[in-house]
Amino acid sequence: MAIEPQALLQALQTVLDPLTGRDFVSTKALKNLQIHGAEVSFEVDLGYPAQSLWPELGQALRGAAQTVAGVGQVQVHWQTRIVAHQVAAPTVPALEQVKNIVAVASGKGGVGKSTTAVNLALALAAEGAKVGVLDADIYGPSVPTMLGLQGQKPESLDGKTMEPLLKHGLQVMSIGFLIKPDDAMIWRGPMATQALEQLLRQSNWQALDYLIVDLPPGTGDIHLTMAQRVPLTAALIVTTPQDVALQDARKGIRMFEKVGVPILGLVENMAMHVCSRCGHAEAVFGLEGGQRLAAEMGLQCLATLPLALAIREQADRGEPIVVAAPEGELAAQYRRLALRTAAALSLLGRDYSSKLGALKVQSHP
């Protein structure tokens, strides 16, 4: 019995991407459908890195295809096709080797922004993306410590540009590589913003899908520089559930809205502390404050992360939890954050799925 291609496509269209809510047929992510007797094969191009989801989604697609009469073996081939999305300041020169720049910001210091930025970058890399980290916290760079790169200096092969340092699969640049650890950065706004632009544009980034920028806390000159003079794609906000932190997070959200930078969502950090000895759970900084703020501001709550001793210990050791315990529950939470962040970014700007080519169906007796 010959397999009807249209019936097969209709069956495959019932499977939805759990993160975007869209099917793979109408978005043209499903390509090169081939039918060889009872055997079916096709490719799926995802616009964000999600290698951990491939087995589950592949099983769902195979199951849908096999509901069609005559279908036997089904092969699903996965590809990740991350594109550059529209930037907030389109007149700003692009970085040729960087597709998307995502700022990680917080209105208040001490909410775990840098820890979140580093683990987010590592989780994106674990899902198959090429990722860089720019430590833009000029006054308090902590990325070198968190990635175990203290005391190292970037090389310059031409005397004009710098080579990012490499660690755990990430390309990394920080002002912390260029100053002594105990030096205080007593810089006025123009000097700090100039230093940020030099770090960004004079670093030899290599074919990055995402550059994660760890911003300083607050809403100052560096934030305006990022919005107006850097090809910024989007931002995400990190806060704790505490009322004081939420007030400042709200200001950060308003700032990005005023300068036209899309906000992918909000991360509620240190939401719950679970005692490592007795297992007692306690909302040290309040309960669900970040989730309420996200709902109030019309944003997605991308993750609710715990206050966990292991996260702090591993960051201090230069081995963040995502690489120190990749199979653990804490790493899994950062992986889920990475998936939701990348999926939200993939929906921004123009629809690039039209550039993937028309769907071709080939039938063979």
Side-chain angles (χ1 to χ4, degrees):
M1 179 179 178
I3 298 173
E4 177 58 44
Q6 192 58 38
L8 184 56
L9 289 174
Q10 289 177 352
L12 291 169
Q13 197 167 0
T14 63
V15 180
L16 301 181
D17 183 325
L19 295 172
T20 66
R22 300 179 177 184
D23 70 87
F24 300 102
V25 176
S26 64
T27 57
K28 300 181 182 178
L30 193 148
K31 307 191 316 177
N32 197 25
L33 177 62
Q34 298 191 33
I35 303 171
H36 297 268
E39 296 183 0
V40 171
S41 66
F42 51 86
E43 300 171 1
V44 179
D45 280 355
L46 281 185
Y48 62 94
Q51 291 182 3
S52 64
L53 295 183
W54 290 358
E56 178 183 349
L57 288 175
Q59 183 178 2
L61 288 165
R62 283 190 293 271
Q66 288 169 344
T67 63
V68 177
V71 174
Q73 185 177 359
V74 180
Q75 293 186 351
V76 185
H77 304 284
W78 293 93
Q79 293 188 63
T80 301
R81 195 182 301 271
I82 301 169
V83 299
H85 291 270
Q86 183 177 358
V87 300
T91 59
V92 173
L95 292 178
E96 293 184 0
Q97 293 295 318
V98 180
K99 293 179 182 177
N100 300 287
I101 302 178
V102 179
V104 179
S106 66
K108 181 177 176 58
V111 300
K113 168 186 55 61
S114 297
T115 303
T116 301
V118 168
N119 280 291
L120 169 63
L122 290 166
L124 287 168
E127 292 290 346
K130 296 178 180 178
V131 187
V133 176
L134 174 62
D135 187 355
D137 196 344
I138 299 295
Y139 301 108
S142 55
V143 169
T145 298
M146 291 185 179
L147 289 174
L149 293 170
Q150 311 99 306
Q152 299 192 36
K153 305 255 182 215
E155 293 184 354
S156 177
L157 303 181
D158 58 7
K160 299 178 181 179
T161 59
M162 296 177 290
E163 303 298 317
L165 298 182
L166 302 178
K167 192 65 178 286
H168 303 309
L170 302 179
Q171 300 175 39
V172 188
M173 183 56 67
S174 170
I175 190 68
F177 298 146
L178 308 177
I179 61 174
K180 296 179 180 179
D182 296 332
D183 282 354
M185 301 301 293
I186 310 175
W187 286 358
R188 295 187 183 276
M191 292 182 64
T193 56
Q194 183 181 8
L196 170 60
E197 285 196 89
Q198 288 179 330
L199 285 176
L200 179 72
R201 297 192 177 276
Q202 294 181 13
S203 296
N204 284 327
W205 308 108
Q206 298 296 317
L208 293 181
D209 296 315
Y210 305 103
L211 177 60
I212 305 300
V213 181
D214 178 24
L215 289 177
T219 54
D221 290 341
I222 289 179
H223 304 78
L224 289 175
T225 296
M226 287 296 302
Q228 298 174 348
R229 296 161 63 176
V230 170
L232 190 61
T233 309
L236 64 85
I237 306 294
V238 180
T239 185
T240 62
Q242 187 179 8
D243 287 344
V244 173
L246 295 172
Q247 292 174 7
D248 292 336
R250 186 179 285 105
K251 295 175 184 177
I253 292 169
R254 292 299 187 200
M255 182 205 70
F256 283 115
E257 289 178 344
K258 287 182 179 180
V259 296
V261 175
I263 302 174
L264 299 176
L266 183 143
V267 177
E268 184 182 58
N269 199 28
M270 307 183 195
M272 188 71 66
H273 174 256
V274 179
C275 180
S276 58
R277 292 187 177 182
C278 68
H280 173 68
E282 187 173 9
V284 178
F285 294 107
L287 188 63
E288 299 180 351
Q291 298 175 52
R292 291 195 300 272
L293 177 61
E296 173 192 335
M297 307 297 285
L299 298 174
Q300 179 182 1
C301 185
L302 295 169
T304 299
L305 301 172
L307 176 62
L309 179 63
I311 294 176
R312 193 275 301 167
E313 288 179 335
Q314 292 305 141
D316 286 350
R317 292 170 183 162
E319 295 283 330
I321 197 71
V322 170
V323 292
E327 303 302 322
E329 174 54 28
L330 294 175
Q333 293 188 51
Y334 283 111
R335 292 277 283 263
R336 288 193 288 271
L337 167 61
L339 289 170
R340 291 169 183 165
T341 299
L345 191 150
S346 74
L347 299 177
L348 292 180
R350 58 179 293 184
D351 181 7
Y352 285 87
S353 62
S354 61
K355 291 185 173 293
L356 298 181
L359 180 66
K360 297 180 181 179
V361 179
Q362 299 180 13
S363 297
H364 302 271

